[in-house]
Amino acid sequence: MLNYQHTASCKCVPQNVMKYIPAEIETRWQLFWERKKTFRAQEVVNKPKIYVLDMFPYPSGSGLHVGHPEGYTATDIFTRYKRMRGFNVLHPMGWDAFGLPAERYAMQTNIHPRITTGENIATFRRQIKMLGLSYDWDRELDTTDPTYYRWTQWIFLTIYNSWFDPRAKKTRPIKALIQEFALRGSESLETDRPFTAADWMKKGKKGQQDVLARFRLAYLAEVPVNWCEELGTVLANEEVDEWTEKGYSVERRPMRQWMMRITAFAERLLEDAEQLDWPASTLEQQRNWIGRSEGAEIDFPVKGLDKPIRVFTTRPDTIFGATYLVLAPEHPFVETVTTPENRETMLDYRNQALKKSDLDRGIEKDKTGLFTGSYAVNPATRKEIPIWVADYVMMGYGTGAIMAVPGQDDRDWTFAEQYGLPIIRTVQPPEDFSGNAYTGEGPAIHSEFLNGLDVAAAKDKIVKWIEQKGIGRRTTRYKLRDWLFSRQRYWGEPIPIIHWEDGTMSQVPEPELPLLLPDLKKFQPSGTTESPLALADDWVSVVDSQTGMKGRRETNTMPQWAGSCWYYLRFCDPQNPEQLCSPEKEQYWMPIDLYIGGAEHAVLHLLYARFWHKVLFDLGYVSTREPFMKLRHQGTILGEDSRKMSKSRGNVVNPDSVVEEYGADAMRLFEMFMGPLEEMKPWSTQGVEGVFRFLKRVWRLFIAEDGTIDRKIADVRPSEGFERLFHQTVRKVGEDIELLRFNTAISQLMIFINEAYKLDRKPRGIMEQFVLLMAPFAPHLAEELWQRLGHDDTLAYEAWPVFDKEKAREKKVEVVFQVNGKVRSKIQVPAGTTETDLEAIAMRDEHVRRHIDGKRIAKKIIVKDKLVNLVVVPE
RNA sequence: GCCGGGGUGGCGGAACUGGUAGACGCACAGGACUUAAAAUCCUGUGGGGAGCAAUCCCCGUAUGGGUUCGAGUCCCAUCCUCGGCACCA
């Protein structure tokens, strides 16, 4: 049944073609594959599955870059190999097509982004098809297609309608929380503002929504954002660098924005990452980004105030050295603790700090700060310590307040020196220590009951003390912040929310999805901080048909990451009109067995997608904890001058011209032969010529000058040596593909060809099998040869050659004779020659004798099939 | 500064759990074919030295140490480089 769609033969082969002309062969086979749907994945069948995914591209106006085919070819080789090994392969491609460039182009030309996006996709599709990649094109998808973004919106609503239950460490429907509040209030949940069931009922719709917003996984909040005036949009912290590098400026301002509560998943994102087969550096980056740190929260009473200042520290053991407190400028206590005479300068200082982004604050080396005029009490020493405000403390991390311990912290030391604040060491530095703050290990000093304890023990003891006194507790904090989800753009998924005039909001009812983007007559920024959608009056204004209440649609759209957060799920069931993906198909195909894409997505895409996946997992829509089991990055391809490719340097290589000149097979082969997949490596035109020459050699080995199969390929028995090489080649190529080491697999194919050239008669059976080995790498050439060898079906599902371990074994091996570790002689012996025999041969060897004569043999090391090493000493 | 990856011929890169360093390709040189060139095929090619020669000797995987019969591979220190993070308390 499997091959029924492949059995028709292609009748259009011009049998007289004798030269290797890639353009001719390649277009013909690409057409064949397309017509026969050769690479269509089968629906759930009783066959091992494998899901191999490329990170889908943003179809930019400049077309495919040579970096794209690198990863795509790698997965293509892998999947073609797996098909031949009997796997049901899912290998799809699609377009991450929402994005700022199309919108900016629309603003300049007033051409709808849908049109430019469509054109760009057409270019990308053509270029990708020209490489002969074995995608199942029936599953092609486009994030800007309403039938796709309908489900992006659905997922948004699902997230909006969920909360994270810290007791179960799990996502639950918001309905469950509403029920709980109605029944028991907030009693079993930790919250700043607790309430009873009765309170809840009295709150009213708006009041209840405000409470729920504090729990929903998607929520609106007033947050300081990175606003880019030229782009007319906010940017996520992660995106700021990208745009500032391009020369855009970003300012800090508070805005009401949609956020996603990714922080609730920090621990799980960290924990579950341990199971993943990902590059160490990527896991490390994610760990870094999440930034877990263990420590304690401690309350410091404020003189003349009934509320204490709560600080977070990872070094509670140093509390006896806490000689002052520092609040972030944004800290809510700043106004209350600042004494009237300091008020004016303080407000001034705060306003300045607010304008700076975290980035700017980081760049400034000098620390600035102001004394508030108030004092707190160090609960350990019971001494009064001054409260300062300084912008080296960030509101977004910990509690936005620190206990400053200059003796053990470099930043605090610098600040303390600058403002003449006391410094007390509470950890004894080693005698030879000459620095300022000492952050290393050592016994506690000046710390009363902690004295003598090492850091870990002191931490333990002081935390117990703090908890006993009820002034704090052990906690874990994360650097990870909630994900700023809204963008002031037109070309993105509309957020399906309506804001009503009574201050409440509601979601667009599910049957009304997709909420389509309105057509705009003119593409221009709204002129306010809203997206251009605000200009579409008809679209924005809504009236509730039942109550007549007026409302406005949410005008923010989703970030580009949204569509790529779940596309891998849609590929499993791309046309399903009822569900984002049927559970049956999801269970069959997921998780992704191999995912290849750029390292630049190490934190952004890969973290966001994992987050959404976990929400969907908790709610039962997906069956795996993690989406991407094995991840690899392709290395950057540099220009021929070993520098980054860029238009300004004029070293950009265009895939179109490479394919035109050498063909897709040569392009594929070269990109794989350049070096290890993950490494950065320079382009080389001569290298392309080298692999092109190899392909021509393969061609000429099979095809005689008159275009028929070369008569040297005949039904003869292979020599033992050639047969051995063949079996070794099958083994090596198979192993290397499994390990994604394509460069060494190709070199083995070259070795085989070099040997085959030396033969007068080439055994047909082996040569045909060799064509199959070539197929994943140079599929067009392989198909062509396969057909000319008399097969009338595609080789895509031919069984991968098997090797015989016995036949691959070398019968003779070279053994080296060393004297004192230096190679003095080499001989050929039958494999398996015993140690005793080896020793005897070595002792007779004239080269060996020359070096041992007149000396005493102190030691003999003999390794079978490898070497004999004689250690001699002067007599 | 911290974390992670990596330094191998003229170049891209090979080298299994420590066991012949430089596979394969590029470039280069010589030869064959050709009127000639291109293409193609064959041979050679880490550096230095001795010899008419077959051959032999020394050095060599960033640097300096160490472990070992034996180190590109393991350990320590240093230098360089790429990537990430960076007032994260």
Side-chain angles (χ1 to χ4, degrees):
Chain A
M1 283 307 284
L2 168 65
N3 284 330
Y4 75 94
Q5 72 257 43
H6 308 291
T7 44
S9 70
C10 187
K11 292 272 190 279
C12 46
V13 187
Q15 286 294 333
N16 56 350
V17 173
M18 42 201 224
K19 270 187 74 182
Y20 173 52
I21 304 167
E24 193 276 325
I25 297 170
E26 290 174 357
T27 43
R28 187 150 37 79
W29 282 101
Q30 282 163 18
L31 219 68
F32 175 97
W33 295 327
E34 178 142 17
R35 285 210 196 114
K36 308 282 188 205
K37 295 189 185 294
T38 305
F39 304 114
R40 196 160 60 177
Q42 293 171 275
E43 291 310 339
V44 183
V45 285
N46 186 21
K47 206 175 160 185
K49 71 91 186 180
I50 190 157
Y51 185 0
V52 180
L53 186 64
D54 293 295
M55 288 185 188
F56 67 162
Y58 171 71
S60 71
S62 45
L64 211 66
H65 180 268
V66 285
H68 289 115
E70 192 189 6
Y72 301 163
T73 305
T75 53
D76 191 61
I77 291 169
F78 191 73
T79 52
R80 283 178 181 271
Y81 166 77
K82 287 291 180 182
R83 276 188 207 99
M84 294 173 83
R85 294 294 301 258
F87 283 85
N88 187 21
V89 173
L90 177 55
H91 188 41
M93 178 46 74
W95 319 107
D96 190 13
F98 275 127
L100 205 45
E103 180 163 348
R104 291 179 58 72
Y105 186 74
M107 285 180 182
Q108 287 157 22
T109 61
N110 214 38
I111 297 171
H112 198 291
R114 191 183 299 122
I115 295 168
T116 35
T117 301
E119 287 167 356
N120 293 348
I121 287 176
T123 305
F124 264 69
R125 192 191 291 116
R126 174 186 64 75
Q127 289 183 305
I128 286 177
K129 285 192 173 178
M130 133 194 124
L131 292 167
L133 301 168
S134 62
Y135 293 118
D136 176 354
W137 285 105
D138 287 356
R139 291 172 192 258
E140 177 180 356
L141 57 80
D142 166 2
T143 55
T144 66
D145 183 337
T147 63
Y148 179 87
Y149 73 68
R150 169 202 167 144
W151 294 106
T152 313
Q153 290 173 329
W154 180 88
I155 295 172
F156 173 86
L157 291 177
T158 303
I159 294 171
Y160 170 73
N161 286 318
S162 302
W163 65 295
F164 186 82
D165 186 340
R167 298 160 300 193
K169 294 182 178 160
K170 202 175 161 221
T171 313
R172 298 177 65 196
I174 198 79
K175 276 184 195 150
L177 185 64
I178 295 170
Q179 272 172 13
E180 183 177 328
F181 284 161
L183 230 56
R184 286 182 288 145
S186 67
E187 65 179 31
S188 71
L189 284 164
E190 266 181 49
T191 165
D192 311 343
R193 286 160 273 173
F195 53 87
T196 63
D199 294 339
W200 171 255
M201 299 316 268
K202 274 185 279 176
K203 277 179 193 290
K205 196 172 169 191
K206 171 85 169 75
Q208 289 185 347
Q209 278 199 350
D210 290 346
V211 173
L212 292 175
R214 285 165 29 213
F215 291 89
R216 288 183 192 274
L217 292 182
Y219 61 97
L220 268 174
E222 184 89 8
V223 285
V225 297
N226 312 295
W227 171 260
C228 178
E229 187 66 39
E230 298 109 294
L231 293 173
T233 184
V234 300
L235 296 170
N237 291 327
E238 306 84 281
E239 293 169 311
V240 171
D241 284 353
E242 185 190 334
W243 291 96
T244 46
E245 271 168 27
K246 289 181 188 167
Y248 292 83
S249 61
V250 168
E251 69 171 302
R252 204 78 174 147
R253 60 159 83 166
M255 280 175 73
R256 201 166 154 77
Q257 294 293 311
W258 281 97
M259 305 293 289
M260 285 221 176
R261 208 176 301 278
I262 190 171
T263 50
F265 293 80
E267 193 59 47
R268 277 170 59 187
L269 288 167
L270 215 49
E271 247 173 55
D272 292 346
E274 284 166 30
Q275 316 301 322
L276 301 173
D277 177 6
W278 283 22
S281 61
T282 306
L283 289 170
E284 176 71 14
Q285 278 181 59
Q286 292 218 345
R287 265 197 298 275
N288 250 324
W289 190 261
I290 295 167
R292 180 181 205 266
S293 56
E294 282 178 30
E297 286 174 2
I298 309 171
D299 289 341
F300 282 64
V302 181
K303 293 271 287 182
L305 202 73
D306 52 355
K307 281 183 94 176
I309 290 174
R310 174 167 293 181
V311 304
F312 173 68
T313 178
T314 53
R315 294 294 303 275
D317 58 303
T318 62
I319 189 167
F320 288 92
T323 51
Y324 61 103
L325 291 188
V326 188
L327 303 180
E330 305 92 325
H331 198 283
F333 278 25
V334 169
E335 282 190 60
T336 40
V337 296
T338 304
T339 48
E341 65 272 21
N342 296 321
R343 184 166 221 96
E344 212 171 309
T345 38
M346 182 62 77
L347 290 180
D348 227 44
Y349 178 75
R350 186 174 67 174
N351 286 338
Q352 276 186 18
L354 285 178
K355 276 190 223 144
K356 294 186 212 164
S357 68
D358 286 4
L359 200 80
D360 292 335
R361 283 210 215 169
I363 286 165
E364 282 159 29
K365 289 155 241 150
D366 293 334
K367 292 191 174 22
T368 58
L370 276 177
F371 178 46
T372 59
S374 296
Y375 291 84
V377 177
N378 181 325
T381 60
R382 287 166 304 279
K383 283 186 185 143
E384 285 185 14
I385 56 174
I387 304 172
W388 285 65
V389 170
D391 69 1
Y392 79 93
V393 173
M394 308 287 158
M395 193 59 219
Y397 186 75
T399 59
I402 62 157
M403 61 176 211
V405 189
Q408 274 76 230
D409 185 288
D410 293 316
R411 297 152 302 181
D412 297 343
W413 180 287
T414 315
F415 193 78
E417 273 202 322
Q418 206 168 322
Y419 293 96
L421 293 155
I423 297 169
I424 301 169
R425 286 198 192 279
T426 57
V427 178
Q428 180 64 54
E431 274 174 31
D432 57 351
F433 179 73
S434 59
N436 296 331
Y438 176 69
T439 54
E441 280 294 327
I445 51 169
H446 305 133
S447 296
E448 299 180 19
F449 56 88
L450 299 179
N451 284 343
L453 296 175
D454 63 30
V455 172
K459 271 185 189 175
D460 226 52
K461 190 160 183 184
I462 193 72
V463 168
K464 284 201 182 101
W465 182 83
I466 287 163
E467 285 179 342
Q468 209 170 22
K469 291 209 130 193
I471 55 166
R473 62 196 175 108
R474 185 186 297 277
T475 51
T476 302
R477 288 281 179 167
Y478 303 89
K479 221 161 72 175
L480 182 71
R481 306 193 192 170
D482 277 346
W483 175 14
L484 175 67
F485 192 73
S486 40
R487 299 291 183 276
Q488 292 67 47
R489 292 178 187 167
Y490 170 79
W491 197 229
E493 300 88 345
I495 293 176
I497 293 285
I498 299 165
H499 303 275
W500 300 102
E501 57 187 350
D502 65 354
T504 64
M505 65 173 111
S506 68
Q507 68 169 77
V508 172
E510 240 182 83
E512 288 176 28
L513 297 183
L515 170 59
L516 296 173
L517 275 169
D519 271 324
L520 293 183
K521 291 203 182 62
K522 249 187 118 117
F523 290 91
Q524 57 187 35
S526 65
T528 66
T529 54
E530 280 197 275
S531 86
L533 285 177
L535 302 172
D537 289 330
D538 294 352
W539 183 86
V540 170
S541 323
V542 285
V543 178
D544 187 312
S545 56
Q546 313 220 312
T547 63
M549 203 194 319
K550 284 188 201 147
R552 283 190 97 233
R553 288 192 191 281
E554 172 66 53
T555 56
N556 285 316
T557 52
M558 301 190 203
Q560 201 185 344
W561 311 109
S564 59
C565 262
W566 72 283
Y567 73 114
Y568 57 91
L569 289 173
R570 191 63 177 172
F571 277 137
C572 298
D573 193 6
Q575 269 99 42
N576 192 328
E578 260 98 47
Q579 293 162 300
L580 76 152
C581 176
S582 87
E584 191 200 11
K585 290 179 181 174
E586 187 277 327
Q587 280 163 38
Y588 178 73
W589 288 115
M590 288 296 291
I592 290 156
D593 300 282
L594 175 64
Y595 193 30
I596 294 189
E600 66 274 19
H601 295 114
V603 266
L604 307 165
H605 160 62
L606 288 166
L607 197 64
Y608 296 149
R610 291 181 62 212
F611 161 48
W612 278 28
H613 195 86
K614 290 193 182 304
V615 174
L616 295 174
F617 172 75
D618 286 350
L619 298 173
Y621 295 108
V622 297
S623 59
T624 64
R625 305 181 74 86
E626 287 285 334
F628 318 117
M629 297 317 286
K630 176 169 176 165
L631 171 76
R632 294 293 181 270
H633 303 301
Q634 78 274 20
T636 316
I637 296 183
L638 303 170
E640 203 134 17
D641 54 1
S642 290
R643 295 190 304 168
K644 214 173 166 231
M645 277 194 199
S646 77
K647 275 192 193 130
S648 57
R649 292 196 183 98
N651 59 354
V652 177
V653 176
N654 178 358
D656 279 316
S657 43
V658 177
V659 170
E660 198 188 340
E661 196 161 349
Y662 303 100
D665 282 339
M667 164 110 184
R668 294 165 57 107
L669 212 60
F670 171 66
E671 292 213 0
M672 294 299 100
F673 187 59
M674 293 165 85
L677 178 66
E678 308 209 37
E679 233 99 291
M680 187 184 279
K681 48 219 169 236
W683 186 265
S684 159
T685 304
Q686 286 177 333
V688 185
E689 275 164 7
V691 292
F692 183 54
R693 213 168 310 172
F694 166 67
L695 290 174
K696 285 195 284 191
R697 264 165 83 76
V698 174
W699 176 266
R700 274 185 281 107
L701 199 57
F702 286 88
I703 308 297
E705 288 191 8
D706 62 0
T708 60
I709 295 296
D710 196 301
R711 270 186 295 278
K712 284 184 185 160
I713 293 181
D715 290 315
V716 290
R717 280 184 65 90
S719 71
E720 203 183 306
F722 189 64
E723 190 178 38
R724 181 161 51 243
L725 175 65
F726 170 72
H727 285 272
Q728 288 171 344
T729 301
V730 174
R731 179 176 60 197
K732 174 90 177 136
V733 172
E735 278 172 6
D736 282 351
I737 293 176
E738 297 272 4
L739 297 168
L740 310 178
R741 296 198 308 212
F742 305 113
N743 54 332
T744 48
I746 292 166
S747 106
Q748 183 67 34
L749 294 169
M750 288 172 169
I751 291 170
F752 179 87
I753 282 295
N754 290 345
E755 282 307 309
Y757 255 84
K758 294 177 187 162
L759 299 178
D760 279 339
R761 300 261 137 193
K762 304 158 219 287
R764 188 181 179 100
I766 283 181
M767 296 311 288
E768 288 203 359
Q769 295 272 293
F770 173 78
V771 170
L772 297 177
L773 297 184
M774 283 290 295
F777 301 89
H780 309 90
L781 172 66
E783 289 271 26
E784 183 70 17
L785 294 177
W786 187 247
Q787 191 182 56
R788 289 185 182 223
L789 283 163
H791 305 273
D792 50 32
D793 196 4
T794 174
L795 49 62
Y797 294 91
E798 287 296 323
W800 184 255
V802 276
F803 69 92
D804 183 327
K805 220 172 151 185
E806 254 331 291
K807 287 181 177 163
R809 176 170 296 153
E810 290 288 353
K811 300 291 182 294
K812 292 195 110 182
V813 290
E814 193 175 57
V815 169
V816 298
F817 295 149
Q818 299 177 330
V819 178
N820 286 353
K822 284 190 174 159
V823 179
R824 296 303 180 184
S825 183
K826 304 172 184 185
I827 55 150
Q828 295 278 335
V829 294
T833 304
T834 62
E835 280 92 340
T836 345
D837 290 349
L838 285 177
E839 185 187 339
I841 301 166
M843 297 308 286
R844 266 185 271 125
D845 189 280
E846 55 169 317
H847 302 288
V848 174
R849 296 206 62 116
R850 211 172 49 240
H851 288 93
I852 61 172
D853 272 353
K855 301 200 174 95
R856 188 169 59 82
I857 295 172
K859 197 168 179 183
K860 298 167 187 167
I861 293 103
I862 304 163
V863 183
K864 200 191 267 185
D865 292 347
K866 282 270 152 68
L867 56 80
V868 175
N869 186 11
L870 303 173
V871 183
V872 296
V873 289
E875 198 70 67

